[in-house]
Amino acid sequence: MDAYYCWAAANPDHASTLPTAKTHRGFHVFGTVNDETFMHLGDGELRADPKHYVVLPPSHHPDGGIYTWINPLPASGNALAPLPESLAQRWGNLGQTHPHANQHTHPIECATSHANHPGEAVEKMIADTLPCGPGQRNRCLFELARVLKGAAPDATPARRRAVLVEWHRRALPHIRTKGFGESLVDFAVAWERVKLGRESLDAAFAAAESVVLTDVAGSYEGHLRRLAQLCSALQLHRGATPFHCSCRVAAAFLHTSPVHAGRLFKVLEFDGILVLVAKGTRQSGMASEWRFNSPPRLL
């Protein structure tokens, strides 16, 4: 998997279009070559001879897991594309015969470590943020940036790109904007805009239950009280710096609608519990920025 993610991050166009299957231990990328050969590549194999086979989805692996298509094979009657130069260069000119086909060659070199490619935790992040249909791509990319930044705020560019390549490949059947470059731009913008990662937000959700409200906020009940507790927890997390919180995030915490959450924010602002520092807009993609104006404390 290390070698595949490194190659995919460096070659997103090929990774998002070549037929690819996820296996028990890695990935199979399908294409054509000009000769029959089999080669060990150190971090993978080239299988293009009649003595070796490849198992296709949806087969079950005997050690667990199911082979699944990431990019399906072309429709019946359509030929496979040649394997690209980014893979072919690993074993030389594909038009020549390889007399020492079973020799080991240098594996793909990657600047990232094992920790810098999608593992089980990131696999879940990707699965949880995939769009279900057209019109959801941008919002889902923002959510992907939020969960990844919350779990790994110092993720290297290579790791962030590898995660996005995998997300884009899985999202392709459900999005209208197919070009990887467009999603890369939107993800980069979302990464910059995200101020509070999913992990930090979950911690604030948990901490909110332990906040003791004072002054006017101490008299609140129900949703209004819980929103004040959430805002105080977010402020405690940020210290002296204003915090970001949207109606959508507040609604998720309160299990209510964003419209109702927006009305509750108005009450907190009216009572002077919250001070609006900067109003968020749909165009900017930023949540409103607030300062909690009533000194909270934790139990």
Side-chain angles (χ1 to χ4, degrees):
M1 285 195 179
D2 288 345
Y4 172 79
Y5 281 127
C6 291
W7 170 78
N11 302 274
D13 290 338
H14 288 143
S16 63
T17 55
L18 285 173
T20 304
K22 191 176 188 302
T23 75
H24 180 65
R25 297 183 301 165
F27 294 85
H28 293 159
V29 179
F30 294 83
T32 61
V33 297
N34 294 332
D35 59 342
E36 291 185 2
T37 186
F38 172 81
M39 298 184 72
H40 291 291
L41 300 170
D43 52 10
E45 296 173 341
L46 168 65
R47 296 188 175 191
D49 72 349
K51 297 181 180 180
H52 298 83
Y53 65 90
V54 175
V55 177
L56 296 179
S59 303
H60 289 253
H61 194 281
D63 292 335
I66 301 175
Y67 291 82
T68 55
W69 286 115
I70 302 301
N71 302 324
L73 288 169
S76 177
N78 295 332
L80 279 171
L83 287 178
E85 182 62 25
S86 59
L87 290 175
Q89 63 191 3
R90 303 187 62 208
W91 56 81
N93 188 340
L94 289 176
Q96 298 177 353
T97 302
H98 299 277
H100 305 291
N102 288 323
Q103 67 186 8
H104 286 270
T105 61
H106 296 294
I108 290 176
E109 294 182 0
C110 182
T112 60
S113 68
H114 179 76
N116 285 336
H117 69 77
E120 289 185 9
V122 178
E123 289 280 347
K124 185 177 187 307
M125 293 179 192
I126 293 171
D128 289 347
T129 58
L130 286 173
C132 299
Q136 302 175 15
R137 183 185 63 88
N138 202 285
R139 179 70 252 174
C140 288
L141 281 170
F142 184 87
E143 186 64 17
L144 176 65
R146 192 157 67 91
V147 295
L148 180 58
K149 196 168 189 177
D154 299 323
T156 63
R159 182 183 185 186
R160 298 196 300 258
R161 189 181 181 91
V163 172
L164 180 60
V165 166
E166 178 70 2
W167 181 94
H168 180 259
R169 180 170 50 251
R170 298 189 195 183
L172 271 175
H174 309 291
I175 56 180
R176 294 193 190 98
T177 304
K178 303 294 187 182
F180 176 80
E182 291 293 324
S183 289
L184 177 60
V185 170
D186 291 337
F187 183 74
V189 171
W191 184 270
E192 181 64 26
R193 287 175 175 169
V194 168
K195 301 301 180 184
L196 189 64
R198 178 73 252 180
E199 192 171 88
S200 299
L201 191 59
D202 288 343
F205 279 12
E209 307 298 339
S210 300
V211 168
V212 176
L213 299 171
T214 60
D215 300 335
V216 175
S219 65
Y220 291 152
E221 297 178 346
H223 279 169
L224 192 58
R225 182 180 184 85
R226 294 197 72 226
L227 179 58
Q229 287 179 304
L230 173 62
C231 291
S232 65
L234 291 169
Q235 186 66 77
L236 285 169
H237 175 80
R238 296 287 290 172
T241 306
F243 65 91
H244 290 80
C245 189
S246 67
C247 293
R248 184 180 58 81
V249 167
F253 175 70
L254 299 171
H255 303 291
T256 187
S257 70
V259 172
H260 180 57
R263 293 169 64 87
L264 297 175
F265 272 117
K266 289 292 185 183
V267 175
L268 296 183
E269 189 180 5
F270 178 80
D271 278 344
I273 303 302
L274 289 181
V275 175
L276 181 62
V277 177
K279 185 172 180 59
T281 64
R282 185 181 297 274
Q283 289 73 24
S284 69
M286 295 286 287
S288 291
E289 193 174 7
W290 304 94
R291 189 184 300 277
F292 194 80
N293 206 32
S294 179
R297 59 186 176 88
L298 293 175
L299 285 175

